[in-house]
Amino acid sequence: MQKMHVSQNRWLLSAKMTAEAEVLLFCFHYAGGHAGIYRDWQKKLPVQIGVCPVQLPGRSNRFLEPCYTDLSVMIRDLAEALLPYLNRPFAFFGHSMGTLVSFELARYLRKHYNLKPQHLFASGYHAPHLPDPGEAIHHLPDQEFLEGVRTMNGTPKEIFEDKEILDMLLPTLRADFTICETYRYQEEEPLEFGLTAIGGWQDPDFSVTHLEAWADHTKAAFQTYILEGDHFFIHSHQDQVLTIVGSTLQNYLAGYRGIG
């Protein structure tokens, strides 16, 4: 069994847990990504929403730490690391691999700690009970694997423009794809909180069916949004994503305060 012992503060990058933050938004990055992709979100969201980007090992300030390849071990360690911060209302936002991580983390917290987020934003990822629409590539030789990553448009193109950086990131990319491609969904009761699924029209692996099937995973309110852009609409159409996130959480806060 894979085991990791990591200090808790390394999991969170520039988290905004101020007194004004009435709900904490934990954000989970995509395969090959890092928590820095959410660094500017706090500037564009109300102060009542505290943005907490989650940093997985093997990248950025955690570059020297080994990556996870076993999702169940990652979720266990992640839950333990975040638990001290879940003493106020919180929500999850994940993009691509980050959606899978946040979904399984929500189920783990329900099972082991009787905790739940106020909302889950599932961005750029098919409903987990459906087969992965892409072909598995994590096991291929380096060049074939990287070519597969490139053609899937699942990693920012800038990474492929610098061979030195690409070589450094190769183990992280392979580990992240291993996490996603070896995932096996286990059926559980639907979640008891609201869920918003977001997709991009030009994402090569996108279909409306993949997005709408997320409805099977909640007993509460469910919404879908289809934006322009490819897999990385989270960057190209960031303002629209933030409008969805901000309005959804502000509606929750209004209800929590008994407004409206």
Side-chain angles (χ1 to χ4, degrees):
M1 176 69 72
Q2 186 178 4
K3 294 180 70 66
M4 292 190 179
H5 301 282
V6 183
S7 60
Q8 292 175 355
N9 62 355
R10 293 186 179 183
W11 290 91
L12 294 174
L13 179 72
S14 61
K16 300 298 181 183
M17 299 182 182
T18 61
E20 295 85 359
E22 299 178 44
V23 58
L24 300 180
L25 178 63
F26 293 91
C27 300
F28 302 84
H29 56 74
Y30 45 73
H34 55 86
I37 66 173
Y38 299 110
R39 191 184 299 273
D40 294 335
W41 279 32
Q42 189 65 71
K43 302 174 185 177
K44 300 182 178 182
L45 287 171
V47 294
Q48 291 82 9
I49 301 171
V51 178
C52 303
V54 176
Q55 188 83 285
L56 298 181
R59 62 213 83 214
S60 191
N61 61 310
R62 303 186 68 181
F63 182 74
L64 297 180
E65 299 176 40
C67 298
Y68 287 93
T69 56
D70 185 326
L71 181 62
S72 63
V73 176
M74 179 201 292
I75 296 301
R76 181 199 65 198
D77 292 352
L78 185 52
E80 182 179 343
L82 296 186
L83 193 60
Y85 310 108
L86 305 183
N87 56 0
R88 70 175 97 177
F90 63 95
F92 289 160
F93 180 97
H95 185 74
S96 196
M97 180 184 77
T99 292
L100 178 60
V101 173
S102 59
F103 170 73
E104 285 297 337
L105 178 60
R107 300 210 299 176
Y108 186 92
L109 290 172
R110 175 177 66 177
K111 180 177 181 180
H112 294 278
Y113 298 104
N114 195 29
L115 287 170
K116 63 179 181 179
Q118 301 301 323
H119 204 87
L120 171 64
F121 297 92
S123 174
Y125 198 80
H126 60 279
H129 65 284
L130 298 180
D132 191 327
E135 293 185 13
I137 61 171
H138 71 275
H139 59 288
L140 297 177
D142 289 351
Q143 291 305 313
E144 293 178 45
F145 168 71
L146 290 173
E147 184 58 30
V149 173
R150 185 198 301 269
T151 57
M152 289 169 63
N153 196 31
T155 301
K157 63 181 180 180
E158 292 79 8
I159 290 179
F160 294 97
E161 296 173 356
D162 189 316
K163 186 179 184 305
E164 184 176 351
I165 293 179
L166 188 59
D167 289 342
M168 291 173 60
L169 292 180
L170 178 59
T172 301
L173 280 166
R174 190 182 291 279
D176 288 352
F177 273 78
T178 299
I179 287 281
C180 296
E181 294 177 352
T182 60
Y183 171 74
R184 295 294 180 267
Y185 172 75
Q186 299 293 322
E187 187 171 355
E188 294 182 12
E189 282 292 309
L191 300 167
E192 299 86 4
F193 48 84
L195 195 156
T196 298
I198 312 171
W201 273 122
Q202 285 76 45
D203 187 335
D205 288 332
F206 169 80
S207 80
V208 175
T209 300
H210 289 146
L211 204 63
E212 292 180 342
W214 274 104
D216 294 347
H217 296 283
T218 180
K219 298 176 181 178
F222 175 71
Q223 289 182 300
T224 61
Y225 294 90
I226 305 173
L227 308 181
E228 290 297 323
D230 59 15
H231 189 67
F232 288 99
F233 63 84
I234 189 176
H235 297 311
S236 62
H237 292 75
Q238 182 188 84
D239 288 347
Q240 288 179 268
V241 173
L242 290 176
T243 296
I244 294 167
V245 172
S247 62
T248 302
L249 292 182
Q250 285 185 305
N251 285 340
Y252 156 73
L253 290 174
Y256 182 74
R257 302 189 198 104
I259 301 173

